[in-house]
Amino acid sequence: MALDTVSFNVPQGEIFGVLGQSGAGKSTLIRCINLLERPTSGSIHIKEQEITALKGLALRKERQRIGMIFQHFNLLNSRTVADNVAFPLEVMGYSRSARQARVGELLELVGLDGRARAYPAQLSGGQKQRVGIARALAAKPDVLLSDEATSALDPQTTLSILELLRDLNRTMGLTILLITHQMDVVKQICHQVAILEAGKLIEQGRVSALAAQPDSRLAQTLFPHPESYRPRAGATVVTISFTGDATDEPILSNLIRNFDINVNILSGNIENFGDLRLGQLQVELVGGQIEAAIDYLKKLGLRVEVNR
């Protein structure tokens, strides 16, 4: 799958998700970012360095700044956990004592300090991915690339791996570019997201901001509205987006009581985005003081979209 004018910036210290279904171009994108495939046009920058301008030894050295974790772990089955984590350090010429010290730090960091002598066949899927994460961090990279790193795991294990990545981001300031087809992954840990379809970037921005925009692709996926519904004569259809403490407010009962309005709920949902709660309601308003009710909602700080 070719990429067509894909451009985005991953802020340092954030988790940036690239969301797309099979065939969207996600694998091509991540292979271009680490230059396993060289793009035919455009450029890729890591901090101040344009890595598309590098070749040979200079490129190999720059790749050491990019850690990578994979869907199917890519561990060496004949090596122990410790030796798998140490492998990139061997390639870089670290001494045996330096490798041992760094491996010990990393296994403790990912919660595997008691499994150093185990082999991959003796590990669960989640443990294998923790080994993969430790290996990816061995050379202290500036950026961690995650290529569908949780799609082969069960939901509970997925959650534990995402929590680990979020902790690494928070404690180390690690920049993470995360490729996924799973909306739940984006909801759990991503600060920003770009949506990829057929090689094109169709939407990007902060997850919370896109989710709060009723007309965004992200919001339409998270909060689907009934397609067959037609408003009754004289009714006003309103989409209300709300965050934080507003998700617990009795908004609809206040409208009914204070503005003499009949309210018909068409659709609604509340989603969690990391530590942020965000909800959306689509309601039909009939009779009473509709304009005053809409002004009231806006003064509460809610986002209101009116479809008459």
Side-chain angles (χ1 to χ4, degrees):
M1 164 61 68
L3 300 172
D4 184 4
T5 321
V6 173
S7 179
F8 58 86
N9 177 60
V10 180
Q12 185 173 346
E14 291 204 348
I15 303 177
F16 190 104
V18 177
L19 180 67
Q21 297 306 308
S22 178
K26 304 188 302 300
S27 295
T28 300
L29 175 62
I30 203 166
R31 289 176 65 84
C32 285
I33 290 171
N34 59 20
L35 285 197
L36 292 178
E37 291 186 21
R38 188 172 286 272
T40 55
S41 62
S43 61
I44 298 164
H45 296 255
I46 297 180
K47 292 188 175 179
E48 313 82 24
Q49 179 64 60
E50 181 188 350
I51 65 170
T52 37
L54 302 177
K55 295 181 180 179
L57 179 61
L59 176 57
R60 290 195 295 273
K61 188 171 183 178
E62 193 65 26
R63 281 202 183 110
Q64 294 171 7
R65 300 171 62 191
I66 307 173
M68 181 85 173
I69 54 177
F70 304 89
Q71 177 179 1
H72 297 297
F73 322 125
N74 288 17
L75 302 181
L76 300 170
N77 291 325
S78 61
R79 284 177 167 248
T80 64
V81 164
D83 288 341
N84 266 280
V85 176
F87 182 70
L89 301 177
E90 291 179 32
V91 174
M92 294 168 63
Y94 278 60
S95 68
R96 181 180 180 84
S97 60
R99 293 198 305 267
Q100 289 176 339
R102 180 63 177 152
V103 167
E105 293 173 2
L106 290 165
L107 291 182
E108 183 176 357
L109 183 67
V110 301
L112 289 178
D113 45 322
R115 304 291 283 164
R117 296 184 179 181
Y119 286 87
Q122 299 171 302
L123 304 179
S124 67
Q127 289 173 327
K128 290 178 183 178
Q129 196 55 281
R130 287 173 183 269
V131 176
I133 293 170
R135 180 184 58 190
L137 297 177
K140 301 181 179 179
D142 295 321
V143 177
L144 179 64
L145 303 182
S146 171
D147 186 10
E148 297 278 11
T150 60
S151 62
L153 304 175
D154 63 77
Q156 191 60 41
T157 305
T158 291
L159 183 60
S160 71
I161 294 298
L162 293 179
E163 288 176 348
L164 173 59
L165 292 177
R166 182 165 51 194
D167 286 345
L168 293 173
N169 168 257
R170 288 174 174 172
T171 59
M172 300 171 58
L174 184 64
T175 303
I176 300 175
L177 177 62
L178 192 149
I179 303 292
T180 185
H181 69 276
Q182 298 171 301
M183 179 65 76
D184 283 345
V185 170
V186 172
K187 286 164 47 182
Q188 286 288 335
I189 65 169
C190 292
H191 301 111
Q192 297 198 49
V193 65
I195 298 178
L196 198 64
E197 284 187 5
K200 295 183 178 181
L201 203 59
I202 63 168
E203 184 171 271
Q204 63 175 303
R206 301 203 74 78
V207 173
S208 56
L210 291 176
Q213 296 176 18
D215 59 345
S216 75
R217 180 67 64 89
L218 188 73
Q220 290 171 2
T221 301
L222 289 168
F223 308 110
H225 296 158
E227 297 180 0
S228 60
Y229 174 77
R230 293 185 180 181
R232 291 179 288 174
T236 299
V237 175
V238 175
T239 301
I240 308 167
S241 300
F242 43 94
T243 60
D245 293 340
T247 57
D248 298 320
E249 291 296 317
I251 296 169
L252 298 186
S253 62
N254 288 343
L255 292 183
I256 295 169
R257 182 173 58 251
N258 298 329
F259 299 97
D260 192 28
I261 289 175
N262 292 320
V263 178
N264 179 30
I265 299 175
L266 305 178
S267 64
N269 195 13
I270 295 176
E271 296 281 357
N272 292 314
F273 296 85
D275 298 327
L276 176 68
R277 296 182 75 201
L278 189 145
Q280 192 178 105
L281 273 174
Q282 188 179 53
V283 297
E284 182 186 66
L285 308 179
V286 181
Q289 306 171 56
I290 291 179
E291 293 298 334
I294 292 172
D295 287 341
Y296 162 77
L297 293 173
K298 291 179 178 179
K299 286 178 181 177
L300 289 177
L302 307 179
R303 186 184 181 104
V304 182
E305 182 180 79
V306 180
N307 303 297
R308 298 186 185 279

